[in-house]
Amino acid sequence: MTESEIAAELYRQTAFSSSILGGFALTFLSILMTLVDSSAKVFLTAIGALTVAVVLLLVATLGATYILIGVQQLQLTYAFEAWPTSLYRTKWIAELSFMFGIIALMTGIGLSGYSKSRMLGHITLFPAILGTVLLVVIFSTA
């Protein structure tokens, strides 16, 4: 594989992962909104976090797809100084949207259990916190 093909594959996988996670977040949001009848602040925060996740993951999907097209057409590599300014800006927007979209998804998952009971809230919150911490470590060291 050439360097350009490797760069293209990274953004292909990012677009794919974002679309899968965005679809999951939208499904989870839809189910949570229809099954739970509550106006508790924590429930509304979970709905808000999942809505943010859906939007950010959609932006990441479309941004990564746009980058993929640019990388393939221009035969770009990881030499970012050779990238057009608009494509480099899109790269940052897509990557940050992906990271914060995942964090918002984890927040929605963590808070969703509180819509039913305090015990269920604890059960959903602690794994979500652990997953978020691990993902932040992965994103910050990669």
Side-chain angles (χ1 to χ4, degrees):
M1 286 183 100
T2 66
E3 284 187 44
S4 179
E5 290 172 332
I6 293 170
E9 186 60 27
L10 169 69
Y11 293 106
R12 183 178 291 111
Q13 291 299 319
T14 302
F16 175 74
S17 298
S18 299
S19 66
I20 294 294
L21 290 172
F24 172 75
L26 183 58
T27 302
F28 191 48
L29 174 64
S30 299
I31 291 170
L32 194 60
M33 287 178 66
T34 58
L35 290 182
V36 178
D37 186 28
S38 174
S39 62
K41 189 172 184 174
V42 71
F43 174 72
L44 297 175
T45 304
I47 293 290
L50 289 168
T51 304
V52 168
V54 168
V55 171
L56 289 177
L57 290 167
L58 176 63
V59 168
T61 299
L62 298 176
T65 302
Y66 178 75
I67 296 166
L68 171 63
I69 292 167
V71 166
Q72 288 177 328
Q73 287 181 342
L74 302 174
Q75 295 296 302
L76 298 173
T77 64
Y78 292 111
F80 297 121
E81 64 275 358
W83 284 38
T85 305
S86 62
L87 197 61
Y88 188 69
R89 182 182 57 240
T90 302
K91 171 196 169 306
W92 275 106
I93 292 169
E95 290 174 357
L96 289 172
S97 295
F98 184 60
M99 182 179 71
F100 287 115
I102 291 173
I103 291 171
L105 175 60
M106 295 297 256
T107 302
I109 291 170
L111 295 176
S112 65
Y114 286 105
S115 62
K116 286 289 187 183
S117 72
R118 186 180 191 117
M119 179 58 92
L120 188 57
H122 293 324
I123 291 170
T124 59
L125 182 63
F126 293 124
I129 290 172
L130 176 62
T132 301
V133 168
L134 293 174
L135 286 172
V136 168
V137 168
I138 289 169
F139 284 144
S140 63
T141 59

